[in-house]
Each structure stands twice: as C-alpha cells, then as structure tokens.
C-alpha cells in the first residue's frame, strides 16, 4: 500500500467526518469567522448538499458520456463520417457559451432548480468526452483491427470487443476531465436555486463570512482531487489490462 494511497484514505475519512460532524471541526474555521458570526454553515445540512451536488454532477456526466460516445462512434463509422463537422460543432456548444449564459437561457424554459444546472453541466461536459473518444477510436493499432477483420468479426463485434475496450482508457480520461470541471461548475447552480455546495459559498459571500466560503470551497476542492485521482487509477488499471501502459507511459 503506497503512501499516496494512505494519504488519500485519510483525506477521505476527514472529509466524511467533517460532513457528518461539522461542529467537531469548528476550531479549524474559527479564525476565519468574525465575532458573533456562526463558524459552521448553519443554513442547511452539509452532507445533504454534498450528496445532492454529487448526484447532479453524476447525472449530467452519465448523459454527456452517452451522447458524446455515441456521436464519436457514429462519425468513426463509414456511414457517419460526413457528420463529423456537425458533431464537433454540437460538442463545442458548451464551450462556446459559458455556463452562466446557459443557465440564463435555460431558466425561462425549465424554471428554477436543478434542471437548468443539469443542462449547463451536460453541454459543458460534451467536448472533452467526444474528442477523447474520437481520438481513442481513430488511433487504434491497425494490426489489431486488421486481425479482428481477419477473424471474421462483424463491424459491431469489432466495435464492442476490440475498439471500445482498447479506447476505454482514453475515453475515461475525457470523462475524468469533464467530471472535475463539472464538480466546480455545479456550484453556480445555486444561483438558480439548485441545491449544491454553491449555497454555502454564496451564503458566505452575502454575509461576509469567510468561514462559510472556505467550507464550501474546501469540500468541492477535496472532492475534485479525490475523484480525479480515483478515475486516474482506474484509467491506469485499464491501460495495464489492455497492454497500453508501456506504449503510452
């Protein structure tokens, strides 16, 4: 067991302990609060907000992954190659419009709450996943794909048994990037009444309570690092299983 792994476990344990018993950590944030100000966020449950924040991000990333991977598969097939420029333009929509602008456009249609935030995160997460999937599917070793054809595999069999498994580490790298971006971006969802950790940060800014701001930012930051490291570990494991670690490392 590596030192880095142990450190991550300790950080995760501390995060869980803080979310379950935040008052036990009041001494850490006390210097950041002004006299007579509450030290620990008291306008909601930190654990509930964190779980809701993660659920929104997870839902958006699942849909973004399905759409982005589907588009990449389509344009790498002979019958769909002509749709590559259109698919790339669609994937770029989220990067063209900042999330705040997407929220502003979505609220009149979807109303306040979680829905506009999901739309913003979905659009913002498309491009990294699409481009990585495209790269993974178009840079496969020719010898491998030719061997699959020589074995008599159909196009669907080659996709499911050869192409996607080999491209999976690269696809996962795109998902990792989109997820980390979404974790931070989801905080702005609280401006349209979505229940995210942005509530904590906004409450701190409105009341000039730096302790609240630090708590919201710290939870989001720790989650981003832990999820990034976790997905990186899975990516490395997949690369070893498919024999790509040496070639790409």
């Amino acid at each position: 067991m590596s030192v880095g792994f142990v450190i991550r476990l300790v950080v995760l344990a501390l995060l869980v302990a803080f979310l379950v018993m935040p008052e036990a950590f009041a001494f850490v944030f006390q210097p950041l609060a002004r006299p007579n100000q509450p030290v620990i966020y008291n306008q909601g449950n930190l654990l509930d907000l964190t779980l809701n924040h993660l659920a929104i991000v997870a839902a958006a990333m699942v849909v973004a992954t399905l759409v982005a991977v589907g588009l990449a598969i389509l344009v790498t097939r002979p019958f769909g190659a002509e749709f590559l420029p259109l698919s790339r333009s669609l994937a770029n929509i989220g990067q063209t419009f900042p999330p705040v602008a997407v929220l502003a456009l979505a609220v009149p249609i979807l109303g306040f709450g979680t829905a506009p935030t999901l739309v913003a995160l979905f659009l913002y997460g498309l491009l990294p996943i699409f481009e990585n999937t495209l790269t993974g599917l178009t840079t496969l070793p020719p010898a491998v794909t030719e061997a699959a054809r020589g074995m008599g595999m159909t196009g669907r069999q080659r996709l499911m048994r050869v192409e996607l498994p080999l491209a999976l580490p690269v696809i996962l790298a795109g998902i990792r990037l989109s997820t980390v971006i979404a974790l931070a971006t989801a905080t702005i969802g609280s401006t349209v009444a979505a229940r995210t950790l942005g509530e904590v940060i906004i409450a701190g800014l409105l009341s000039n309570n730096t302790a609240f701001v630090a708590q919201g930012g710290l939870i989001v930051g720790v989650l981003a690092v832990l999820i990034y490291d976790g997905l990186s570990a899975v990516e490395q494991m997949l690369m070893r299983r498919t024999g790509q670690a040496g070639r790409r490392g």
Side-chain angles (χ1 to χ4, degrees):
M1 187 180 295
S2 67
V3 175
F5 181 73
V6 173
I7 292 174
R8 289 173 180 83
L9 281 180
V10 171
V11 171
L12 177 60
L14 287 172
L15 176 61
V16 172
F18 174 64
L19 293 175
V20 174
M21 302 177 296
E23 293 296 337
F25 294 81
F27 69 95
V28 176
F29 300 97
Q30 182 67 57
L32 300 177
R34 293 184 176 185
N36 301 320
Q37 281 187 328
V39 177
I40 299 297
Y41 181 69
N42 59 355
Q43 299 174 30
N45 186 285
L46 286 175
L47 179 59
D48 287 345
L49 286 175
T50 301
L51 293 176
N52 207 64
H53 189 107
L54 289 172
I56 291 172
V57 171
M61 289 303 98
V62 167
V63 179
T65 298
L66 291 174
V67 172
V69 172
L71 284 175
I73 290 173
L74 172 67
V75 300
T76 53
R77 306 304 99 181
F79 61 83
E82 62 185 288
F83 296 106
L84 176 58
L86 175 61
S87 297
R88 186 163 270 148
S89 297
L90 290 174
N92 267 296
I93 288 177
Q95 306 294 325
T96 303
F97 296 97
V100 173
V102 176
L103 288 176
L105 294 172
V107 165
I109 301 171
L110 301 174
F112 287 90
T114 300
T117 306
L118 285 171
V119 171
L121 297 183
F122 161 73
L123 292 175
Y124 214 54
L126 280 176
L127 186 62
I129 303 173
F130 174 78
E131 289 294 349
N132 274 50
T133 305
L134 196 62
T135 299
L137 292 175
T138 56
T139 57
L140 296 172
V144 174
T145 53
E146 288 301 322
R149 286 192 182 92
M151 293 172 63
M153 288 186 178
T154 64
R156 181 171 181 173
Q157 288 174 329
R158 290 197 303 272
L159 174 66
M160 301 304 295
R161 299 182 186 180
V162 178
E163 296 179 36
L164 282 177
L166 287 175
L168 193 55
V170 183
I171 297 172
L172 188 59
I175 295 172
R176 168 166 50 89
L177 177 59
S178 287
T179 301
V180 172
I181 292 173
L183 274 168
T185 307
T187 56
I188 67 171
S190 292
T191 61
V192 293
R195 297 200 69 242
T196 73
L197 289 164
E199 285 187 18
V200 185
I201 297 172
I202 292 172
L205 293 174
L206 291 176
S207 61
N208 199 24
N209 189 333
T210 308
F212 285 4
V213 177
Q215 287 159 42
L218 185 64
I219 296 171
V220 173
V222 171
L223 286 173
V225 171
L226 291 176
I227 291 174
Y228 182 93
D229 286 349
L231 291 176
S232 293
V234 175
E235 183 185 337
Q236 291 298 319
M237 180 189 70
L238 290 172
M239 289 174 64
R240 288 193 295 271
R241 289 183 62 181
T242 56
Q244 299 178 68
R247 288 191 296 109
R248 296 183 60 200

